Amino acid sequence: MTNYILNGILGLAVGDALGYAAQGKTREILKFAPVLEMKRGLWSDDTSLTLCTLASLRENDWRLNYVDLMERFSKWLEYGYMTPEGTVFDVGATTQRALQNYTGGAPLEQCAPRNQWNCGNGSLMRILPIEFYLQARPEADRYESIRNVSALTHAHICCTLGCYLYCAVASEIIAHRDLFKLATLLIRGVNRAVTELAQVADADDVSELHYYSRVIDHSVYDLPESEIESSGYIVDTLEAALWCLANTNSYRECLLWAVNLGDDADTVAAVAGSLAGVYYGYDSIPHEWLAGLKNMETIVRVCG
């Protein structure tokens, strides 16, 4: 499992840092001045919150402790815990509100906003360590674990379902990386998730899968770039990441496609980079990108 952890987390962190240079830029601007190499190497909240999640699992003997997770997230926001330079410089509004509610004394289950306007990608970007945890857990634990961890900051069902689809794809890559091409693994993972959700989730929850219709019917992979959005909306982020993964043939190519979509480029690249890292492996990540990554020793230490 350790190799998958290191591959996935470094793949995510490099994508986050590479994409940060393109965050907020339009696709049109990036066509003329694309990001091709690592700039400052600073990773943002995507990597920091992922490391908080992984550290919590490892330091609690691979048991889920929701209070510990929120304590670490709050420590990140207040004190720069698990940041490249001891400073927080990118915070999602929904995550910030949930953590402020938590430090203000709200019960854990009431911290996260629950309306449809709070369906950002803030739980998707940090959920990967939960899949590593679930590798050794019964299948019956998957839905509850993913839902509860997402709902610490993002409680809307759309966020739960996006995280579940993503984790199922990660699981499929881990289990069958040597047997199938990546595009096939993406389809298998999504199909598996839909089948499992029909068995373990409430019917009302399953009905909300319509948000991800283009992922579930696999039409997203054949869309032109003009129909792929790269906003901070969780559906857009997942679609964009899967589209990049399915239409490229290496870690480098995948990440450059993801980054140069623009808008919320760091998170799209982090999500795509995590799965590309698991599939292609550590050696596929360009050496110069790894060399430019700030505070890589912290990332490696947390990965164990």
Side-chain angles (χ1 to χ4, degrees):
M1 191 196 309
T2 302
N3 285 341
Y4 287 122
I5 292 174
L6 184 64
N7 293 347
I9 301 300
L10 275 177
L12 183 152
V14 168
D16 179 13
L18 190 72
Y20 193 71
Q23 186 180 26
K25 294 183 179 179
T26 66
R27 202 167 298 177
E28 290 69 27
I29 288 174
L30 291 165
K31 295 287 186 189
F32 291 98
V35 173
L36 300 175
E37 299 298 340
M38 185 71 74
K39 302 293 185 180
R40 297 176 61 193
L42 289 172
W43 29 278
S44 68
D45 53 340
D46 305 62
T47 305
S48 292
L49 292 173
T50 299
L51 292 176
C52 287
T53 304
L54 181 57
S56 177
L57 288 168
R58 294 187 66 91
E59 294 174 27
N60 284 281
D61 296 321
W62 288 99
R63 291 192 296 268
L64 268 176
N65 183 322
Y66 301 118
V67 171
D68 185 67
L69 282 169
M70 287 296 270
E71 287 291 332
R72 289 174 191 268
F73 296 164
S74 299
K75 186 178 176 182
W76 158 75
L77 183 61
E78 293 185 39
Y79 303 110
Y81 171 68
M82 292 294 178
T83 59
E85 296 184 326
T87 304
V88 174
F89 58 87
D90 193 13
V91 184
T94 301
T95 296
Q96 184 173 32
R97 181 177 167 190
L99 295 180
Q100 288 172 339
N101 288 340
Y102 175 74
T103 56
L108 205 62
E109 65 277 6
Q110 297 179 19
C111 291
R114 294 178 177 271
N115 64 58
Q116 61 181 344
W117 307 112
N118 297 107
C119 292
N121 52 27
S123 62
L124 180 71
M125 69 189 189
R126 60 170 168 80
I127 202 75
L128 182 63
I130 300 305
E131 181 52 46
F132 299 139
Y133 158 80
L134 289 168
Q135 287 290 301
R137 305 292 300 177
E139 287 294 320
D141 291 349
R142 292 185 64 83
Y143 185 65
E144 181 180 8
S145 298
I146 292 169
R147 179 185 60 193
N148 290 346
V149 173
S150 174
L152 291 173
T153 58
H154 291 69
H156 194 279
I157 184 60
C158 182
C159 298
T160 295
L161 295 174
C163 289
Y164 197 94
L165 289 165
Y166 167 81
C167 284
V169 169
S171 178
E172 194 66 25
I173 295 173
I174 290 170
H176 300 115
R177 170 181 177 269
D178 296 328
L179 298 178
F180 301 102
K181 292 182 178 180
L182 180 53
T184 301
L185 293 169
L186 303 182
I187 292 172
R188 286 172 57 93
V190 169
N191 288 347
R192 169 188 160 184
V194 174
T195 298
E196 290 175 352
L197 286 166
Q199 298 170 348
V200 301
D202 295 338
D204 288 344
D205 290 357
V206 174
S207 70
E208 298 301 307
L209 277 170
H210 67 83
Y211 290 108
Y212 297 95
S213 60
R214 301 199 307 184
V215 171
I216 292 167
D217 68 14
H218 315 304
S219 63
V220 67
Y221 305 122
D222 297 321
L223 294 175
E225 182 187 281
S226 60
E227 294 190 36
I228 298 297
E229 301 292 336
S230 50
S231 77
Y233 176 40
I234 186 172
V235 177
D236 289 346
T237 298
L238 185 61
E239 285 191 346
L242 295 177
W243 181 81
C244 291
L245 288 157
N247 288 287
T248 54
N249 295 297
S250 68
Y251 180 91
R252 178 192 284 272
E253 184 184 16
C254 177
L255 267 289
L256 291 179
W257 275 39
V259 166
N260 288 295
L261 290 175
D263 203 353
D264 200 10
D266 60 331
T267 302
V268 172
V271 173
S274 66
L275 297 177
V278 173
Y279 180 75
Y280 293 111
Y282 174 88
D283 291 338
S284 72
I285 303 174
H287 172 74
E288 64 272 20
W289 292 357
L290 287 169
L293 198 62
K294 296 288 186 182
N295 197 8
M296 182 174 165
E297 58 271 20
T298 293
I299 300 172
V300 173
R301 175 179 56 79
V302 175
C303 289

